[in-house]
Amino acid sequence: MTSTGPAGVPMDIVSDADWWRQAVVYQIYPRSFADSNGDGIGDLPGITERVPYLAELGIDAVWLSPFYPSALADGGYDVDDYRNVDPRLGTLDDFDKLVAALSEYGIRMIVDIVPNHTSDRHEWFAEALAAGKGSAARDRYIFRDGLGPDGSQPPSDWDFSFGGPSWTQVEDGQWYLHLFAPQQPDLNWANREVRDDFLKTLRFWADRGVAGFRIDVAHGLVKDLSEPLPSRLDLPDPEAENANHPLWDRDEVHDIYAEWRQVLNEYDPPRTAVAEAWVHRSRRVRYASPTSLGQAFQFDLLQADWDPAQFRRVITDNLAEAQLTGASSTWVLSNHDVLRHATRYGLPAGAARPGVESVGNRWLRSGGTEPVVDAQLALRKARAGTLLMLALPGSAYLYQGEELGLPEVTNIPDTARQDPMFHRTGGELVGRDGCRVPLPWTATGPSFGFGAGEGHLPAPVWFGRFAVSTQEADPDSTLWLYRDALRLRRELQSDERLDWVPEMNEDVLHFVRPGGWHSVTNFGAEPVPMPAGKLVATSAPLAAGTLPPNTTVWVRDH
């Protein structure tokens, strides 16, 4: 008989070296999860207080977004110190207590590593500015002389992720590269000291009980800055199959991750890693290699329309991709960088032009008329999409609040917005604050139970309808759908295979997992006959003998 932990979690799952292959990982954006001291910012003790909630949800691991010291120029992804905790969020002792509290329930910890850039407050960058041109300190970053007779022009005309130029000039006239905000200077990964320091960081957190790492901008570390630098108009699409981009997805980056893998394999069980790499899927497999990071996010399902043909193609392609490396697939519908799928699925057809940023439907625009979202339809599709996703072989990544069916918050006052994307584009892009509003725990209160006072981003008046306390009292709520689905997923889980079941109706997507576990989704606008078998889960109420529109069911053969 399998022994169980305090939450009924099988201990063989806790100790299994392959635990990550079909794990459910819950992403916590710490500043917006739970505030223990009433300062408006979520913190590590707040998360620790909510560990029983996470255990009741039924997750296998927590992915903790950056909690390091930071000026918050980019929501914590501008890191001052990679081996410490932001004092506003707690201490290293608080981190250890959180890891211990999670482990009591068999829940593992994954932390974010941000290797492409530091913050401009990092001690290395301060040294670089003080040391001057040609110094060893400055070689840790990417500094260049400017163009023109007096060097007053940037080394290139590149304009990147958050808007504005990608070079910033310092007092002695040189310029430094930053592919994101100016407060995020890019590191020089040709420098051996940089490489060694990150190996030290990996060991630091692994020694504290961290089970794995999510690697931010994993495809961006290595650059080819051979002179002359190309114009931005000559740069290829970084997600093209054979892009040969000077800044993204360079072959040499895998030499770095081969070293990381050696460190991760020093531990028993080996520490895991998953790459955030926005690259063509034919090149994504390299990040998921067992000699590299071992797993890579695929955002194809997140970017797909609510369309059965797209879903089937994405699922088929990504399962085949996983087989090439021996990794498992990663499924995600929402995260801290994208429009929540409980809003995204309610956008009218063609709303991405204009009204929504067209690249991945990531961010609402502030200019012009924003599209009207059918909130009820969006939530129905989101519940159906989630139940389908949780039936897929591989690991599932959930973003905090999606288990409540939280929609995107679009009416944040401009004066309260924090995302550098908003400020760097003069408000053209609203940014990602809408999915980072603090979670509602109670139906009332200044921040709906997030903390004793107001949260760092204002919550709308309707948030109470989505609160944990409200949904716990309703067995038909989205929270209970997630809890029940995750419990059943654990019971039904099998080999990482699926077989497609032919359907007469092209609006229906039907697959079966080993053991006779079927997932059937009706993407269409009309009811279809219910599949045969014993019903074990449904994303919406059923009509007699039919599967309603925008609904997923799980059934078993026996």
Side-chain angles (χ1 to χ4, degrees), residues 156-465:
S156 73
D157 62 351
W158 298 340
D159 186 0
F160 275 101
S161 298
F162 294 158
S166 289
W167 298 91
T168 292
Q169 192 172 31
V170 299
E171 287 188 3
D172 62 17
Q174 279 203 307
W175 300 74
Y176 68 87
L177 178 69
H178 51 89
L179 298 187
F180 295 90
Q183 299 89 342
Q184 295 168 291
D186 279 38
L187 286 163
N188 173 21
W189 275 86
N191 185 308
R192 186 67 242 179
E193 188 178 3
V194 172
R195 297 191 180 206
D196 288 342
D197 196 69
F198 272 87
L199 297 180
K200 183 178 179 180
T201 293
L202 293 174
R203 290 190 176 100
F204 179 88
W205 293 112
D207 289 344
R208 300 191 92 92
V210 165
F213 302 91
R214 179 264 187 184
I215 314 304
D216 184 64
V217 196
H219 59 306
L221 278 57
V222 176
K223 283 88 172 171
D224 177 7
L225 298 179
S226 304
E227 301 286 352
L229 299 179
S231 165
R232 69 173 184 268
L233 298 178
D234 296 327
L235 293 174
D237 178 357
E239 295 186 44
E241 185 169 4
N242 297 301
N244 191 29
H245 200 287
L247 303 175
W248 303 112
D249 193 32
R250 304 291 303 172
D251 290 341
E252 301 91 331
V253 77
H254 299 288
D255 297 334
I256 296 170
Y257 296 137
E259 287 191 325
W260 287 26
R261 175 44 57 192
Q262 292 179 5
V263 171
L264 300 177
N265 286 349
E266 293 173 0
Y267 294 86
D268 184 19
R271 298 321 192 225
T272 66
V274 58
E276 183 212 26
W278 291 88
V279 300
H280 192 273
R281 67 181 188 85
S282 67
R283 299 178 64 81
R284 190 167 58 205
V285 295
R286 301 184 302 167
Y287 296 86
S289 164
T291 60
S292 185
L293 295 174
Q295 200 175 42
F297 277 118
Q298 59 88 356
F299 300 112
D300 305 346
L301 200 62
L302 181 154
Q303 293 179 289
D305 295 328
W306 183 250
D307 175 82
Q310 290 188 42
F311 267 61
R312 178 168 180 150
R313 183 177 65 253
V314 165
I315 293 167
T316 300
D317 289 348
N318 282 281
L319 290 178
E321 177 184 314
Q323 286 187 331
L324 292 176
T325 61
S328 64
S329 294
T330 57
W331 308 107
V332 56
L333 293 175
S334 286
N335 64 31
H336 67 293
D337 278 337
V338 302
L339 201 65
R340 287 187 178 273
H341 66 290
T343 291
R344 196 169 68 242
Y345 287 152
L347 293 171
R353 295 168 299 277
V356 178
E357 170 62 23
S358 60
V359 181
N361 281 344
R362 296 183 208 173
W363 306 291
L364 287 174
R365 288 191 183 277
S366 59
T369 302
E370 293 179 357
V372 177
V373 174
D374 186 332
Q376 185 175 3
L377 178 62
L379 180 57
R380 186 180 183 98
K381 289 179 178 179
R383 287 167 58 106
T386 294
L387 201 58
L388 184 160
M389 181 189 77
L390 290 175
L392 294 170
S395 56
Y397 283 79
L398 310 179
Y399 178 54
Q400 64 176 44
E402 71 168 80
E403 77 278 13
L404 306 176
L406 278 184
E408 191 85 357
V409 179
T410 60
N411 58 345
I412 299 172
D414 288 354
T415 54
R417 292 196 176 275
Q418 302 170 9
D419 194 336
M421 189 177 304
F422 174 81
H423 297 288
R424 294 274 289 173
T425 63
E428 180 188 359
L429 293 178
V430 171
R432 301 157 294 179
D433 294 319
C435 66
R436 301 177 180 184
V437 175
L439 294 191
W441 294 94
T442 60
T444 59
S447 60
F448 297 98
F450 166 71
E454 299 284 347
H456 67 99
L457 284 168
V461 295
W462 45 263
F463 243 34
R465 300 200 308 270

